[in-house]
Amino acid sequence: EKGLTDQIATAALNFGTVCHQGGDWGDALQAYERGLRISAALGQRSTEALLRFNLAKLRADLGSDERALRLADRCESSARAAGLEILVAAADTIRAEVAFTRGDPEKALISLTTAHPLVERYGGPRDLAELEIQRAEVELAATGAKGPARQTLEKAREILGSEDARDVELRLDVVAARIELANRAPQHALDIVENVSSSASNLGQRLLQAEAELIAAEAREVQGANALANKHRIRARELYELTAAQLPVELRQVFWQHPRRVDASEPQSPTSSHPLRPAEEHPYRRLVDINTRLNSSLSTKEVLERAMDAAIELTRAERGFLLLAAERTQKLEVAVARNFDREQLGRSKLKFSRGIAERVMESGAPLVTADAQTDGRLDTKASVHAMNLKSVICVPVRSPGGLLGALYLD
């Protein structure tokens, strides 16, 4: 009877793992939590540590970041007590995942670097390949397509070798498709994810299939095929809904807010003339995308233009100007002028409130107003009323040597 009781926690772990991988997260959550209670009560340290890790991973996948971090800490404690160094490293991969989805790839890389020696020493080829795949995805966000992500992914492929790990290979291919997309090769990305979607379906990996469908949607949008993109996005939504439907009600909103799924939360109308406005996406996803674009820029001019596009995206402004002070006269001159559609503004549209910009340059303090027409600080600024300005943001641009100019958005 005792032997049978001891096996209950292990059975819950195994059942939860199958459900987790298959996208049945409601059942996985129940199985993990039940197994954790039993293993803790029976003093099964190894099983308890494994269950804490799986539960932390599930919470991170769901988007319950704080719960995931607390569980990762408990997993590390349990793993150290049980002498399971590989799970100590696994706790760091959870911290990396949370940092990544919060838009902090640099912090994620630190956690992955900490985990690497332990995984290399105590893990198998599958464990090490998974770590390198996770690193490649983070590197893509941190340094763009021109960074080391592609080399890291090839290293993961070499580590896998002839290992029987088709699910890991598909995860690798998903990241490879993202690299192709970031490298402005949408057709290459499509070729990869079409195979991933089919293979993931055959393996019962519903959420991996959904992620592949979302990448296909992004690739089609780049190609200007919005109707096709919407079909992929709707298919991804359907797959995600199968998982969301069995979750507890209080977790469904968290599930849909996760950066990996936010693009599937509200499929577009096929008649839309443009993709979902970036400023309406989840902030974490927007920050990661913006960082990727900036780091893949090739010239100073392109970096400035993309930085301005990013500022417009994040603030939902209609126009943005980067104003730099002339070296001799200190007069503000327009270095970059962009609109929401990421187009350069023509000379006839290079009008901004010079009074607001000069005020920011003089004070060195940012100015934000929701209604410039009624803002008492701007009563004497004729340009504000002449241009009928409403919401305006203007912030100083600094360097170690002093003020360089101002960033102006309206």
Side-chain angles (χ1 to χ4, degrees):
E1 184 177 340
K2 182 180 185 300
L4 182 61
T5 303
D6 289 346
Q7 292 177 29
I8 293 176
T10 302
L13 171 64
N14 294 337
F15 177 70
T17 301
V18 171
C19 293
H20 192 167
Q21 292 177 343
D24 298 320
W25 286 0
D27 290 339
L29 187 62
Q30 290 182 356
Y32 287 156
E33 289 179 340
R34 183 185 182 197
L36 183 58
R37 288 193 298 270
I38 295 171
S39 61
L42 296 176
Q44 299 173 325
R45 288 183 174 181
S46 296
T47 306
E48 180 185 350
L50 279 166
L51 281 159
R52 288 196 188 282
F53 166 71
N54 281 20
L55 196 51
K57 182 69 171 71
L58 180 56
R59 285 290 181 177
D61 290 342
L62 281 166
S64 302
D65 291 351
E66 293 302 326
R67 291 285 295 275
L69 290 174
R70 288 197 297 271
L71 283 161
D73 290 342
R74 297 291 298 277
C75 168
E76 181 175 347
S77 298
S78 298
R80 290 191 186 280
L84 296 173
E85 296 298 321
I86 187 64
L87 286 182
V88 174
D92 274 316
T93 67
I94 299 298
R95 298 180 185 110
E97 175 67 18
V98 171
F100 176 65
T101 57
R102 286 178 169 179
D104 192 348
E106 288 78 13
K107 186 175 181 180
L109 285 173
I110 291 172
S111 293
L112 293 174
T113 300
T114 302
H116 189 272
L118 292 175
V119 175
E120 196 168 40
R121 182 174 180 182
Y122 297 103
R126 179 190 178 102
D127 301 313
L128 191 55
E130 286 181 323
L131 183 70
E132 295 297 341
I133 293 167
Q134 188 177 1
R135 175 182 288 277
E137 187 172 28
V138 175
E139 286 174 342
L140 177 62
T143 60
K146 304 300 181 183
R150 192 184 296 275
Q151 290 81 0
T152 302
L153 210 59
E154 287 308 310
K155 182 180 177 182
R157 200 182 297 276
E158 290 175 8
I159 291 168
L160 272 180
S162 58
E163 286 285 312
D164 183 15
R166 185 61 180 143
D167 57 324
V168 181
E169 291 174 5
L170 293 179
R171 166 54 57 191
L172 187 154
D173 286 341
V174 163
V175 180
R178 291 197 181 283
I179 292 173
E180 294 297 338
L181 203 53
N183 207 33
R184 302 183 180 90
Q187 189 57 53
H188 289 169
L190 276 169
D191 292 342
I192 294 171
V193 294
E194 283 176 2
N195 175 64
V196 171
S197 181
S198 173
S199 298
S201 177
N202 292 337
L203 285 177
Q205 297 271 335
R206 180 195 307 153
L207 298 178
L208 198 56
Q209 183 186 0
E211 192 170 351
E213 292 291 336
L214 278 184
I215 295 173
E218 292 179 47
R220 288 299 189 190
E221 284 170 353
V222 172
Q223 293 179 330
N226 287 345
L228 292 174
N230 203 51
K231 287 183 179 179
H232 287 293
R233 185 165 280 109
I234 289 172
R235 179 56 182 151
R237 169 83 187 194
E238 291 171 348
L239 292 165
Y240 283 134
E241 281 184 350
L242 291 172
T243 293
Q246 65 160 231
L247 290 173
V249 175
E250 66 272 13
L251 287 178
R252 290 176 191 168
Q253 184 176 1
V254 172
F255 174 86
W256 287 113
Q257 288 176 342
H258 192 287
R260 291 192 188 278
R261 292 178 289 275
V262 70
D263 282 356
S265 59
E266 293 182 4
Q268 289 177 250
S269 165
T271 59
S272 293
S273 59
H274 55 76
L276 186 67
R277 288 175 53 153
E280 293 168 359
E281 296 176 4
H282 194 286
Y284 303 155
R285 174 63 181 274
R286 296 201 324 264
L287 287 171
V288 170
D289 286 347
I290 287 167
N291 198 37
T292 299
R293 292 201 303 271
L294 287 176
N295 280 296
S296 63
S297 300
L298 300 177
S299 66
T300 301
K301 181 177 182 295
E302 191 175 7
V303 169
L304 291 176
E305 289 178 349
R306 292 188 178 202
M308 179 55 66
D309 291 340
I312 292 171
E313 285 181 21
L314 291 170
T315 61
R316 306 189 185 193
E318 293 180 2
R319 308 182 307 155
F321 300 85
L322 177 60
L323 310 171
L324 298 180
E327 189 172 347
R328 291 185 178 180
T329 64
Q330 291 299 297
K331 180 181 178 181
L332 290 174
E333 298 177 349
V334 177
V336 177
R338 307 280 282 179
N339 62 17
F340 178 79
D341 292 320
R342 299 182 184 176
E343 298 170 338
Q344 188 76 24
L345 294 178
R347 284 186 175 276
S348 63
K349 298 181 180 179
L350 293 181
K351 295 180 180 179
F352 62 93
S353 175
R354 194 168 290 275
I356 289 179
E358 290 173 348
R359 174 191 173 106
V360 168
M361 288 293 291
E362 290 170 4
S363 67
L367 186 149
V368 180
T369 178
D371 188 350
Q373 298 297 309
T374 60
D375 193 321
R377 297 172 297 174
L378 306 176
D379 283 345
T380 61
K381 308 299 181 186
S383 58
V384 170
H385 302 287
M387 297 173 64
N388 195 30
L389 294 175
K390 294 297 183 183
S391 301
V392 180
I393 298 174
C394 189
V395 297
V397 176
R398 303 178 185 275
S399 77
L403 283 177
L404 296 178
L407 181 66
Y408 176 101
L409 301 141
D410 63 19

